Amino acid sequence: MKPVTRFAPSPTGKIHIGNVRTALFNWLFAKAGGGDFILRFDDTDLTRSKPEFVEAIERDLRWLGIGPDRVEFQSKRFDAYQAAVDTLIAAGRLYPAYETPDELDRRRKRQRTRGLPPVYDRAALKLTGEEKTELEAEGRKPHWRFLLDNHGGDPFQPRPTPVIWNDLCRGEQTIDLSAVSDPVLVREDGTYLYTLPSVVDDRDMSVTHVIRGEDHVTNTAVQLDLFKALGADAPVFAHHNLLTLPSGEGLSKRMGHLSIESLREESGLEPMTIAVAAVLIGTSEAVAPYASLSELETHFDLAKVSRAPAKFDPEDLSRLNGRVLQELTYADVAERLEAVGADGGEMLWNAIRGNLVRFADAKDWFDVVNGEVEAEVEAGDAPVIAAAVDALPAEPWDDATFKTLANAVKNLTGAKGKALFMPLRKAITGRASGPEMGPLLPLIGREKVISRLRASAQ
Ligand code: GLU
């Protein structure tokens, strides 16, 4: 059976690298099995969901190379959710409750002081029709709770009910449903909490594998019961560890600098840097600079996901970015180079790609090769530079020309090591560090090299 997975963000903010971990796990899993990936917007919260976030999420995923096979919106499926609500009510599995948050809070406190677990006691199930009418006459509106199947006929006598599933990341999982409160599925205002729409969608969209963060483990026990109550086959579940900062703090929408938009636009990172970090950190695979998602796919395996939090330091992303850039061929980047006015051909790209931290740095090196530079040499550098003017070979030049030049200057001046190479590098490129001089020299060309040397020798 071909896998069908989904990534289900709420469009209430921008997605960050932790969300991309979930998105890519789902995408890679579907693609590895020749299946489909659904982008499903969990936008039942009509006030907080915004079209601009839908667009931003689609843009971010596209930039990362994640193309959905289908896009779905929960806001267009309210009829399906209402039908499920009706089915559950008819089966006696969904009941109205009227407690206010304050009342529930007080009840939980009382349970705790008595040493009882703070599980909802199903008091609302005892309400008579008359009492309900009275409560509604007071202006109260019901919320609706799902009666968990954790009893043998008398809901006031819950009994241990292990829900067991084989989690593709965590192995066999067991959650006792008698320790869980009947979840609210529909709020007072008639809006749906995420639990029910998610199950109805997974059923109707034939989702075979639900891959999501481990913060959803308890939801899974409830949702497995819900699939059963709706007469549906449950998908396979996988709960991955969450990306956290080195301090252990989880990522959140508030951390704007870790949004994909900011990592792309402010930090100037490559999509593959984000993808590699998002997928491989917190697994037994080494974080290595793969150049494409298909290459990354061969290193992705849910069974390799660690149980410990996936700690990552945003500072490390720059270094990884440099390693990713180094993997990119001229064909991979030619269009982008042209777009930023830095296309100096394949030889230039090959000469500089090992020295870039960000793609935008390519423009600096393009300018070093093709434009003007200002050398900052010191007085003591003059003899080396003057000797280089005299020793400069005739063209044609190749990668070995710089070595020939340096040897000649060494013979003329006796300078060696840093004292030999640094003045030459600074005079010819205007920088104290950068790509190897060998490949750069023929790209800059004799005419420019000699005029730069002369300008520095004065
Ligand atoms: N909208 C939910 C979330 O972002 C989806 C969870 C799920 O994948 O089922 O947490």
Side-chain angles (χ1 to χ4, degrees), residues 146-437:
F146 175 52
L147 180 64
L148 291 170
D149 185 9
N150 58 7
H151 56 87
D154 177 358
F156 301 104
Q157 298 291 329
R159 59 182 189 189
T161 311
V163 174
I164 302 170
W165 73 93
N166 185 16
D167 193 292
L168 294 189
C169 290
R170 296 163 64 91
E172 188 175 288
Q173 299 290 295
T174 307
I175 290 196
D176 178 7
L177 265 196
S178 69
V180 181
S181 296
D182 288 342
V184 176
L185 300 188
V186 187
R187 297 188 188 88
E188 280 79 4
D189 63 1
T191 58
Y192 303 98
L193 277 99
Y194 135 88
T195 314
L196 175 73
S198 181
V199 167
V200 172
D201 287 352
D202 291 340
R203 178 196 66 183
D204 293 353
M205 296 170 194
S206 307
V207 169
T208 60
H209 293 78
V210 170
I211 306 169
R212 58 189 179 187
E214 61 190 9
D215 48 334
H216 285 290
V217 167
T218 313
N219 286 340
T220 297
V222 166
Q223 290 186 330
L224 283 170
D225 198 23
L226 202 42
F227 276 105
K228 209 153 61 157
L230 292 171
D233 287 336
V236 174
F237 283 88
H239 294 88
H240 62 76
N241 55 358
L242 301 177
L243 280 187
T244 69
L245 297 178
S247 63
E249 191 183 357
L251 308 188
S252 80
K253 285 188 174 149
R254 282 174 292 109
M255 297 172 181
H257 65 296
L258 293 179
S259 74
I260 300 307
E261 188 179 284
S262 163
L263 294 174
R264 175 180 63 234
E265 275 155 37
E266 312 300 326
S267 311
L269 297 178
E270 295 299 297
M272 281 310 297
T273 302
I274 316 274
V276 161
V279 170
L280 297 180
I281 288 173
T283 73
S284 57
E285 274 282 329
V287 177
Y290 300 113
S292 67
L293 290 181
S294 45
E295 219 181 305
L296 179 59
E297 186 188 304
T298 62
H299 297 270
F300 160 75
D301 183 351
L302 289 175
K304 289 185 180 168
V305 172
S306 152
R307 293 289 298 272
K311 284 200 180 170
F312 96 108
D313 188 344
E315 301 281 319
D316 293 342
L317 292 176
S318 285
R319 217 166 46 90
L320 180 59
N321 202 59
R323 293 168 68 205
V324 164
L325 285 168
Q326 210 166 344
E327 294 298 311
L328 299 177
T329 64
Y330 178 66
D332 293 331
V333 294
E335 262 175 44
R336 291 172 66 196
L337 287 170
E338 196 179 339
V340 297
D343 187 2
E346 183 164 8
M347 300 235 285
L348 178 59
W349 175 251
N350 289 344
I352 64 173
R353 64 180 173 173
N355 272 78
L356 306 177
V357 175
R358 290 179 178 68
F359 183 78
D361 303 343
K363 174 76 169 107
D364 296 343
W365 290 109
F366 176 87
D367 291 342
V368 163
V369 167
N370 297 292
E372 305 288 318
V373 301
E374 229 169 275
E376 276 181 39
V377 290
E378 288 152 38
D381 297 338
V384 165
I385 295 169
V389 174
D390 295 339
L392 206 58
E395 282 178 320
W397 284 1
D398 59 23
D399 285 11
T401 304
F402 182 73
K403 204 160 171 219
T404 311
L405 171 67
N407 276 336
V409 173
K410 184 175 167 187
N411 290 339
L412 287 171
T413 61
K416 54 184 178 205
K418 207 174 161 202
L420 170 64
F421 291 107
M422 193 53 89
L424 295 177
R425 173 179 286 284
K426 286 196 296 190
I428 296 170
T429 68
R431 319 277 158 116
S433 64
E436 271 185 54
M437 291 298 294

Side-chain angles (χ1 to χ4, degrees), residues 42-114:
D42 282 7
D43 58 348
T44 54
D45 185 339
L46 297 175
T47 46
R48 287 177 58 228
S49 298
K50 298 269 183 311
E52 62 259 35
F53 294 129
V54 168
E55 275 162 36
I57 292 169
E58 287 185 321
R59 188 182 326 124
D60 290 345
L61 294 181
R62 209 179 313 124
W63 176 71
L64 287 159
I66 307 176
D69 297 290
R70 266 163 78 182
V71 181
E72 299 279 355
F73 292 85
Q74 291 198 324
S75 56
K76 295 189 183 152
R77 295 185 31 82
F78 287 136
D79 289 350
Y81 310 145
Q82 190 52 47
V85 161
D86 295 342
T87 305
L88 292 172
I89 293 177
R93 296 295 300 275
L94 195 65
Y95 61 94
Y98 296 83
E99 294 93 345
T100 63
D102 273 355
E103 285 164 354
L104 290 170
D105 210 33
R106 279 201 295 278
R107 198 173 300 177
R108 277 192 292 265
K109 276 189 192 129
R110 274 203 306 277
Q111 285 169 317
R112 278 205 197 89
T113 36
R114 280 196 253 136

